[in-house]
């Protein structure tokens, strides 16, 4: 299985720009690329998909077992001419100390036995680039650091200085560079890159990027490197997928509305595939542009995204807000993550100091307001144990995911507020804390999210392959004849 990993020397090195350009360039040559992203990320995979026309998949050694990672990888890459995996942060950055299962790019490279090509920001570097590469190579000899691509290179002569310095080390090849060009930069905002759905002139950008990559990066050499990757053992994790799907022919077919537009676009493709394998028909709708929910729904999923950016438009679509209220009153199963939680709240305030004139009312199912802060409220992995009955399972069920948000929930005076905006145990009115959550760096359990049995809304983004029963439970909850 031809594969290679594109890692970074650190965040901001240009991994996504280079990865997207490589995908577009290989596709233009007729090579079918299956893209992957290391770690909990929704925006980078969107650019991958824009470049190749097929969903990018997330792999993660902290959220998922080795078997699940190998199964997801093998199922998606089996029909590809090349599997290209973009890393996360720096090569060794993760939840631990560069060890197996820490979520780092290095741990995934070891698991998949994949050669690594590092993207290095060459701004202000010349011969010192060799010291950078030497340090990364010697840090873990178990990682096959095979090559380097430089980003933001000042000139062809600058690249030659970099190449000569690095290749003098022996055993590492330079595969080219991207020039310093503001037109090749990806715009950013508070949660990272601006999603591709909002990018103006995306097609022109991809063409410019493809052309630049084709001119200055050795595509033939990278392809040969991917071909040289050794065989992988049979993915035992495929049995996990089959076990979940087994017997689902007798399960009820349910129609589930899936919010998907510029405000809500954060989904793991393998979560959606797992839901479909368990009997869900996913019907997309737009909370921004559609007046009503799709007909005959049994459930609704509201993923993450940027509702705060589109709060005025979402608030103005009163018919959709009313339809969601009616759907909840009918007892539909509703699952909401992060942006979806904000949308189900009483409304979104752009800052703690915002007055009522700046407040944007939302669906109002959750008796709390989402208030944007001036700094991150949470960032990192989460181990979530269900604390109450919910549409994805009952108390004690454990899953893994992550949080990344700038807002917190402002609760009524009689409610409590836990760490990072969680709901305190004293909150009543039929709502209960959804999870007891623990983070790798904060081991004290905290309450997170809310559920009333039929609706679950939380900041945590779960990866369903961390516990595939989540998908099967949600499909059962969508069957109106099933007990909650």
């Amino acid at each position: 299985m031809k594969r290679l990993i594109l890692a970074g020397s650190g965040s901001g090195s240009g991994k996504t720009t280079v990865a997207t350009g490589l995908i577009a360039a290989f596709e233009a040559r007729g090579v079918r690329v299956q893209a992957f992203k290391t770690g909990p990320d929704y925006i980078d995979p969107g650019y991958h998909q824009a470049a190749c026309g097929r969903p990018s998949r997330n792999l993660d050694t902290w959220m998922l077992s080795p078997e699940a990672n190998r199964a997801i990888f093998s199922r998606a890459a089996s029909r590809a001419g090349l599997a290209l995996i973009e890393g996360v942060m720096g090569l060794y950055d993760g939840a631990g100390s560069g060890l197996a299962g820490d979520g780092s790019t290095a741990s995934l490279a070891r698991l998949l036995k994949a050669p690594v090509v590092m993207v290095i920001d060459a701004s202000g570097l010349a011969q010192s680039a060799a010291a950078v590469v030497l340090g990364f190579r010697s840090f873990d000899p178990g990682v096959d650091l095979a090559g380097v691509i430089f980003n933001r290179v000042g000139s062809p002569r600058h690249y030659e200085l970099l190449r000569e310095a690095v290749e003098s080390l022996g055993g590492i090849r330079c595969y080219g560079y991207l020039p310093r060009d503001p037109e090749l930069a990806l715009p950013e905002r508070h949660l990272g890159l601006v999603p591709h759905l909002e990018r103006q002139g995306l097609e022109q950008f991809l063409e410019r990027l493809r052309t630049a990559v084709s001119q200055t990066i050795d595509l033939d050499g990278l392809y040969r490197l991917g071909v040289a990757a050794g065989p992988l053992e049979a993915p035992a994790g495929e049995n996990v997928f089959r076990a979940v799907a087994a017997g689902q022919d007798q399960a009820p077919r349910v129609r589930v509305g899936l919010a998907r537009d510029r405000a809500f676009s954060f989904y793991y493709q393998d979560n959606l595939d797992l839901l479909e394998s368990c009997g869900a028909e996913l019907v997309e709708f737009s909370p921004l542009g559609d007046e009503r929910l799709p007909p005959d729904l049994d459930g609704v999923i509201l993923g993450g995204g940027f509702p705060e950016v589109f709060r005025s438009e979402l608030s103005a679509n009163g018919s959709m807000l009313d339809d969601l209220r009616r759907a909840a009153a009918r007892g539909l199963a509703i699952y909401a993550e992060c942006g979806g939680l904000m949308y189900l709240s009483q409304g979104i305030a752009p800052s703690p100091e915002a007055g009522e004139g700046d407040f944007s009312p939302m669906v109002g199912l959750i008796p709390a307001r989402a208030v944007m802060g001036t700094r991150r409220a949470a960032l990192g992995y989460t181990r979530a144990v269900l604390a109450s009955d919910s549409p994805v399972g009952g108390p004690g069920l454990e899953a893994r995911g992550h949080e990344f948000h700038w807002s917190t929930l402002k609760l009524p005076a009689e409610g409590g507020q836990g760490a990072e905006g969680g709901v305190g145990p004293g909150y009543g009115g039929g709502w209960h804390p959804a999870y007891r959550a623990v983070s790798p760096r904060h081991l004290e359990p905290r309450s997170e999210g809310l559920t009333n049995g039929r609706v679950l809304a939380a900041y945590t983004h779960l990866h369903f392959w961390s516990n595939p029963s989540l998908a099967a439970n949600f499909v059962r909850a969508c069957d109106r004849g099933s007990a909650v």
Side-chain angles (χ1 to χ4, degrees), residues 116 192 251:
V116 174

Side-chain angles (χ1 to χ4, degrees), residues 110-149:
R110 290 192 296 267
L111 177 67
L112 297 182
K113 300 178 182 177
V116 174
V117 176
M118 178 172 291
V119 177
I120 296 178
D121 182 352
S123 303
L125 283 179
Q127 287 84 356
S128 295
V132 174
V133 173
L134 180 61
F136 274 92
R137 183 174 68 175
S138 61
F139 187 83
D140 183 355
V143 174
D144 179 15
L145 180 51
V148 174
I149 294 173

Side-chain angles (χ1 to χ4, degrees), residues 189-206:
R189 63 172 173 228
H190 58 284
L191 292 184
L193 298 179
V194 173
H196 74 287
L197 293 175
E198 299 179 50
R199 169 89 189 212
Q200 298 294 321
L202 179 61
E203 291 185 5
Q204 294 87 341
F205 167 76
L206 291 175

Side-chain angles (χ1 to χ4, degrees), residues 426-450:
Y427 192 74
W431 293 94
H432 307 280
Y435 305 126
R436 296 295 292 167
V438 175
S439 301
R441 293 186 175 91
H442 303 282
L443 299 180
E444 184 68 25
R446 58 187 170 82
S447 296
E448 208 284 287
L450 306 90

Side-chain angles (χ1 to χ4, degrees), residues 10 34 56 126-127 129 153 199 410 463:
Q34 176 57 60
S56 180
Q127 287 84 356
V153 172
R199 169 89 189 212
K410 182 179 180 181
H463 201 304

